[in-house]
Amino acid sequence: MVDTHSAAAAGDNPFVLEARGVIKIFGQSKALDGVNLGLRRGEVHALLGENGAGKSTLIKILTGAYQPDGGEVVLDGEPVRFSDPLHAQSHGIGTVYQEVNLLPNRSVAENLFLGRQQTRFGFVRKSLMEKNARELLSRYGLDIDVQAELGTYSVAVQQIVAIARAVELSGKVLVLDEPTASLDKYEVEKLFEVVTQLKQRGMAIVFITHFLDQVFAISDRVTILRNGRLIGTEPLAGLSRTDVVRMMLGKDITFAPAVTGIEERAAGPALVEFKACGKAGKIHPFSLKIRRGEVVGVAGLLGSGRTEMARIMFGADQCDAGEIRIGDKPVSLTSPVQAIAHGFGFCPEDRKIEGILGDLSVRENIVIALQGKLGWFKALNRDEQMEIAGKFAEDLDIRAASLDMPVKLLSGGNQQKVILARWLATDPSFLILDEPTRGIDVGAHAEIVRTINRLREEGLALLVISSELDEIVAYSSRIVVMRDREMVAELTGDNINPSVIVQAIAAQHETVAAEGASV
Amino acid sequence: MNRSLRPLAATAVIFALAYAASIFQFPGMFSTRVLGNFLTDNAFLGITAVGMTFVIISGGIDLSVGAIIGFTGVLVAVLIGWFGIHPLAAFAIALVVAAAFGAAMGAAIHYLEVPPFIVTLAGMFLARGAASVITQDSIPVTHEFYSTVTSTYWLMPGGGRLSLIGALMILVFIVGALVAHRTRFGSNVYALGGNAVSAALMGVPVARTTILIYTLSATLSGLAGIVFSLYTSAGYPLAAVGVELDAIGAVVIGGTLLTGGYGFVAGTFIGVMLQGLVQTYIIFDGTLSSWWTKIVIGGLLFVFIVLQRLVFSASSSRTKTFWKLKHE
Ligand SMILES: Nc1ncnc2c1ncn2[C@@H]1O[C@H](COP(=O)(O)OP(=O)(O)OP(=O)(O)O)[C@@H](O)[C@H]1O
Ligand SMILES: [Mg+2]
């Protein structure tokens, strides 16, 4: 399928921003090979492809963060060369990059307006800036202290701030690279409202995501990349989900069957047990037993205490009351090192901050936790490391030019897989996964769900946090629901289905049987 | 309280306590006369430390400041003493030379991607070496302008004297604080220290900002060199050896994070004053060796680095979710 909607054909609505035959080469490999992308006024243009297909690279070229090795960028019919993102910004192109974290050390207001603060006599007009910031964020339903450091807010808030900033900057084109990866349903709705308004005002919007529902909810046209090549640009109206997936992967995939309610295996004693563990200000005391061969799913909105619970379970935070038992021995769990020694593994939610060691190679990133577990006196030699890393890279389909390249050069989704591989390599008996499929493409998504099921069958105990209800019901033997930093429900059997979970998340305290909550 | 304010508050409290204790022991220390001397004696250190604050907030370090003080002192003395140039003209020349030197270091750091530690270490050797090539000896400055300046002061209530150079330091601190907290350049400095990659993607002019930061630091060191030459009425190539470390110490004690991104110019002022307080105490005591200054400062530094570590790691996990959902 080739783009037949060229600029000439749509004479009444020419492209505002266009990539023509763009080539980008990193070392030996071609990340982009003659890719075209044309953006029209007033459209939402989805850009899809597997992890590592070249989506982020393409938009970095369009917005001046990278220079192309071939082809050209065309703005309003004139070839341009953006020297840096600032230059692109000055032409009305705003971007939310996939990796960008903004500035955690600066206030929310400053993050919104950095680079274009209004000044009087050379001094920044702080109170005006803060007033504007409050107004701006209220459009996204966000009412926060804009003087506080951005880093003190949740990832979702930071993401909204990044989006709000980009929207303000963009007069013509807004580029959103996986903006919804860490947002929940309500936040996504807010974002879509804003995007629809911008579209009506004639802006061109590029939307990159791995959530196909969202693509169909909002996009007008779609461009699909595979391995750095353009597969096609099509109006979305004529396409089905299967068409889109086939274009992305080059083959059909079987979605993991929507199992509801895997039989709870009452068999076997608990592997780990948390008894009334809590931490003041972070999470109410919770009690939970996790057995071998079961997956405990954790559902709840962002900020409902899911991550806090995971951190306590891994010893990254200490509970100030309660008891933790392994088998039937009480154990101390005050650091991740101890947790690893107990056979725990933890794949964190925010890989950018907590997970990836960007400058180390893919191989080193994969073996590091295993090495830590073995102790430094039993150093794995290079060949052993290669073998282990190679095995997991293949199992999880990690796309890297070489296992020796720095992991920060991998695409976002592939970085996520590297972290997963890291913990699988330690051969854990209890594995905690916080949003394991975030930012992962449809093919790999199905693969990860399969992996979770396989690990369960192999007798691991797993705790999986996820915002995707269809996914969580597909592998959980039990689901606990978190709300307002409290465990409010424990669902089993027939209750493991999305509508019950939604009810439990939204319901008031008295209407939900709060089994398993505070003891 | 904003967590980055906590180290600053701690410094202020420690300073207040230490001062109160000293006054309790030596009531004589509670006078504007002592305060006046305080300001005059530490003027060159304070001015340097303002520049150092910017450098450290941006995530860098500047080891060349002491050497630049020595060099500008010698340059000024030579221009006045050997070439008969008016001191004001000599000052202007010295400032321009220092600024150019700083700009060159900033450019090397940005464009050659050499760590600031290495570049400014080289700058330190270069400046110290250049000063020693000009002369090995102390060159006295005798010019009526110098005597006028050094005898100018404002009388403070209580009979203390606020000298011109003491007032200059205060002025530099005020301007420095305004620039850091109220201008776009200031924001860019914090942005670089927070996350240089994000800053670049957010459109911060990284090259210009980096060069400006080191230019500012070197220029202020040049100014400190001039102040030092006024203070001592001489230029000496080995003047102000080790001042870079005193300045770094003052900045860190003042609550600026060594890894960049957080800090206050006002904190640096307290840091400098704290060092001055220790010196004054030692003078009043009369029996202690002046090396005690270093020991106390070393101890304080250690305490503050630990304190910052605690403050910043305790609150680094994201806790706030002031998330107001409007379910329509
Ligand atoms: N700076 C770089 N140096 C070397 N290789 C790179 C660099 N940036 C990207 N790549 C490689 O280019 C390919 C495309 O990466 P890109 O980030 O564009 O993928 P993506 O489509 O955005 O994937 P994802 O959905 O995972 O975010 C990947 O194989 C990646 O490893
Ligand atoms: Mg990407």
Side-chain angles (χ1 to χ4, degrees):
Chain A
M1 279 167 266
V2 175
D3 185 12
T4 48
H5 308 259
S6 68
D12 53 327
N13 189 356
F15 294 142
V16 270
L17 184 66
E18 202 185 342
R20 282 192 196 150
V22 164
I23 296 173
K24 182 70 191 176
I25 299 168
F26 291 119
Q28 307 290 324
S29 60
K30 267 192 183 168
L32 291 174
D33 191 0
V35 172
N36 300 322
L37 176 71
L39 307 174
R40 297 215 176 101
R41 286 170 50 82
E43 76 165 348
V44 177
H45 196 126
L47 180 58
L48 305 182
E50 290 177 276
N51 294 134
K55 305 178 295 291
S56 301
T57 307
L58 178 58
I59 61 122
K60 280 186 182 154
I61 286 173
L62 274 178
T63 59
Y66 288 160
Q67 300 302 322
D69 295 318
E72 58 184 1
V73 175
V74 179
L75 179 71
D76 291 324
E78 302 283 330
V80 281
R81 209 176 174 88
F82 294 130
S83 50
D84 51 34
L86 186 61
H87 188 193
Q89 263 174 38
S90 67
H91 284 90
I93 301 171
T95 316
V96 178
Y97 293 100
Q98 187 176 7
E99 299 85 12
V100 80
N101 277 316
L102 302 183
L103 298 164
N105 60 328
R106 304 306 285 156
S107 73
V108 173
E110 196 157 314
N111 270 284
L112 284 168
F113 293 106
L114 187 74
R116 28 186 209 110
Q117 303 100 320
Q118 289 193 41
T119 56
R120 188 198 280 157
F121 312 124
F123 293 120
V124 173
R125 304 181 63 182
K126 256 195 173 142
S127 50
L128 179 70
M129 180 167 93
E130 282 156 7
K131 183 169 147 275
N132 291 343
R134 272 189 292 274
E135 266 172 33
L136 186 58
L137 291 178
S138 69
R139 274 184 246 155
Y140 298 82
L142 196 60
D143 182 13
I144 58 174
D145 176 9
V146 296
Q147 294 179 331
E149 281 166 32
L150 185 71
T152 59
Y153 289 105
S154 69
V155 184
V157 172
Q158 300 193 21
Q159 188 71 35
I160 295 274
V161 172
I163 292 167
R165 175 184 164 87
V167 169
E168 277 304 288
L169 284 172
S170 47
K172 282 182 189 153
V173 179
L174 172 65
V175 182
L176 303 171
D177 193 351
E178 297 197 28
T180 55
S182 47
L183 300 188
D184 69 28
K185 202 169 132 244
Y186 303 102
E187 297 155 357
V188 171
E189 277 168 17
K190 277 279 176 231
L191 173 64
F192 283 4
E193 271 170 35
V194 173
V195 166
T196 311
Q197 281 166 19
L198 294 174
K199 175 177 142 176
Q200 280 157 2
R201 273 194 254 150
M203 207 138 99
I205 295 139
V206 181
F207 180 43
I208 300 179
T209 186
H210 291 292
F211 297 108
L212 287 185
D213 298 340
Q214 296 181 0
V215 172
F216 280 92
I218 197 158
S219 314
D220 302 301
R221 292 196 304 154
V222 51
T223 290
I224 292 171
L225 302 181
R226 194 196 310 150
N227 286 331
R229 293 220 174 75
L230 177 68
I231 300 302
T233 299
E234 300 274 326
L236 199 70
L239 297 177
S240 72
R241 276 177 77 104
T242 332
D243 295 336
V244 172
V245 172
R246 190 182 310 123
M247 285 167 83
M248 280 166 66
L249 305 185
K251 60 175 193 242
D252 286 317
I253 57 157
T254 43
F255 286 97
V259 199
T260 45
I262 292 165
E263 282 302 298
E264 189 194 356
R265 296 168 200 219
L271 177 74
V272 274
E273 181 174 1
F274 298 87
K275 271 190 172 169
C277 291
K279 185 172 168 69
K282 296 227 165 177
I283 186 164
H284 292 278
F286 63 92
S287 295
L288 191 62
K289 278 186 202 162
I290 300 152
R291 304 183 185 90
R292 286 184 193 284
E294 79 170 346
V295 177
V296 176
V298 181
L301 296 176
L302 288 163
S304 61
R306 304 175 310 175
T307 297
E308 286 75 4
M309 178 159 134
R311 289 177 60 88
I312 284 184
M313 290 184 167
F314 195 57
D317 285 330
Q318 280 80 56
C319 38
D320 36 35
E323 187 183 43
I324 299 168
R325 288 166 167 268
I326 294 180
D328 33 52
K329 285 201 303 286
V331 293
S332 100
L333 189 61
T334 52
S335 71
V337 176
Q338 277 185 337
I340 293 170
H342 292 319
F344 293 8
F346 177 37
C347 188
E349 170 185 29
D350 195 339
R351 62 171 180 266
K352 288 173 234 162
I353 295 169
E354 302 180 42
I356 276 294
L357 304 165
D359 291 313
L360 295 188
S361 69
V362 176
R363 167 174 54 85
E364 288 161 322
N365 265 284
I366 292 180
V367 299
I368 193 160
L370 175 60
Q371 185 66 77
K373 188 177 177 188
L374 293 177
W376 295 107
F377 296 110
K378 280 186 240 149
L380 294 165
N381 66 33
R382 222 191 102 94
D383 288 344
E384 287 167 330
Q385 292 187 3
M386 258 335 212
E387 195 191 316
I388 295 166
K391 173 177 171 299
F392 285 100
E394 199 182 309
D395 279 4
L396 297 177
D397 191 19
I398 296 172
R399 311 258 169 105
S402 129
L403 292 178
D404 280 318
M405 76 194 256
V407 78
K408 67 176 175 196
L409 301 182
L410 257 57
S411 78
N414 281 308
Q415 294 184 12
Q416 180 78 355
K417 293 187 208 168
V418 167
I419 300 211
L420 191 57
R422 174 190 297 170
W423 292 108
L424 292 179
T426 61
D427 191 17
S429 52
F430 174 41
L431 187 58
I432 304 164
L433 304 174
D434 195 352
E435 298 283 3
T437 57
R438 173 173 300 164
I440 283 193
D441 67 47
V442 273
H445 191 288
E447 189 51 50
I448 284 182
V449 172
R450 265 197 291 280
T451 307
I452 290 174
N453 278 320
R454 195 191 75 221
L455 294 172
R456 188 197 58 215
E457 274 155 26
E458 287 171 7
L460 254 71
L462 289 106
L463 182 105
V464 186
I465 300 173
S466 176
S467 307
E468 284 173 75
L469 302 182
D470 295 335
E471 169 194 311
I472 205 166
V473 299
Y475 49 63
S476 300
S477 332
R478 251 190 311 150
I479 290 182
V480 296
V481 178
M482 304 291 296
R483 192 194 326 124
D484 295 337
R485 306 180 178 276
E486 191 170 354
M487 192 191 276
V488 291
E490 187 170 332
L491 308 174
T492 51
D494 288 344
N495 281 334
I496 301 189
N497 74 57
S499 57
V500 178
I501 301 174
V502 169
Q503 265 175 24
I505 289 175
Q508 296 308 310
H509 291 252
E510 50 279 5
T511 57
V512 174
E515 323 155 30
S518 49
V519 174
Chain B
M1 176 163 56
N2 194 326
R3 65 178 172 164
S4 59
L5 275 170
R6 275 179 238 164
L8 176 63
T11 312
V13 169
I14 291 181
F15 178 77
L17 289 179
Y19 197 28
S22 314
I23 292 168
F24 188 70
Q25 198 177 351
F26 304 112
M29 276 180 76
F30 185 64
S31 74
T32 50
R33 221 161 326 137
V34 173
L35 180 70
N37 291 343
F38 235 57
L39 296 175
T40 310
D41 296 344
N42 291 294
F44 74 99
L45 176 62
I47 292 171
T48 314
V50 171
M52 187 68 82
T53 311
F54 281 86
V55 173
I56 293 181
I57 289 174
S58 79
I61 194 91
D62 189 349
L63 299 178
S64 69
V65 295
I68 293 180
I69 294 176
F71 176 79
T72 36
V74 169
L75 183 65
V76 164
V78 165
L79 288 174
I80 299 170
W82 297 359
F83 297 94
I85 294 176
H86 188 272
L88 281 177
F91 293 169
I93 295 171
L95 287 178
V96 170
V97 171
F101 190 70
M105 287 195 296
I109 290 165
H110 178 77
Y111 291 109
L112 308 180
E113 292 178 23
V114 185
F117 189 92
I118 313 261
V119 171
T120 59
L121 187 68
M124 169 176 124
F125 287 125
L126 213 67
R128 212 42 104 181
S132 306
V133 166
I134 297 176
T135 175
Q136 300 279 358
D137 313 309
S138 175
I139 306 173
V141 183
T142 42
H143 194 283
E144 60 198 86
F145 180 78
Y146 265 56
S147 14
T148 323
V149 168
T150 41
S151 56
T152 308
Y153 57 84
W154 288 271
L155 214 53
M156 294 187 282
R161 294 171 174 188
L162 176 60
S163 66
L164 205 60
I165 58 177
L168 181 65
M169 169 177 77
I170 291 175
L171 186 71
V172 169
F173 267 104
I174 292 171
V175 173
L178 284 174
V179 170
H181 305 302
R182 294 277 152 183
T183 65
R184 283 195 190 188
F185 169 70
S187 300
N188 292 345
V189 173
Y190 282 95
L192 280 190
N195 183 338
V197 177
S198 294
L201 287 177
M202 287 170 80
V204 169
V206 177
R208 198 180 67 193
T209 310
T210 308
I211 293 172
L212 268 177
I213 290 166
Y214 288 89
T215 308
L216 178 72
S217 174
T219 310
L220 287 177
S221 307
L223 186 61
I226 292 167
V227 165
F228 199 68
S229 113
L230 284 164
Y231 181 60
T232 57
S233 293
Y236 180 50
L238 294 182
V241 168
V243 162
E244 55 279 353
L245 300 181
D246 291 338
I248 294 169
V251 171
V252 173
I253 291 174
T256 297
L257 206 61
L258 255 182
T259 45
Y262 296 92
F264 298 91
V265 173
T268 303
F269 184 74
I270 305 180
V272 171
M273 288 296 101
L274 202 55
Q275 297 202 11
L277 180 69
V278 177
Q279 281 161 3
T280 314
Y281 181 88
I282 285 164
I283 294 166
F284 267 77
D285 183 274
T287 60
L288 291 169
S289 142
S290 69
W291 283 102
W292 277 102
T293 320
K294 302 275 175 209
I295 295 172
V296 173
I297 295 303
L300 279 175
L301 252 179
F302 180 73
V303 168
F304 273 88
I305 289 173
V306 171
L307 180 79
Q308 292 182 353
R309 185 82 215 128
L310 291 177
V311 167
F312 280 86
S313 64
S315 53
S316 68
S317 51
R318 314 236 152 83
T319 44
K320 273 191 213 169
T321 23
F322 289 39
W323 187 245
K324 223 192 222 171
L325 281 174
K326 295 191 184 135
H327 304 257
E328 284 96 340

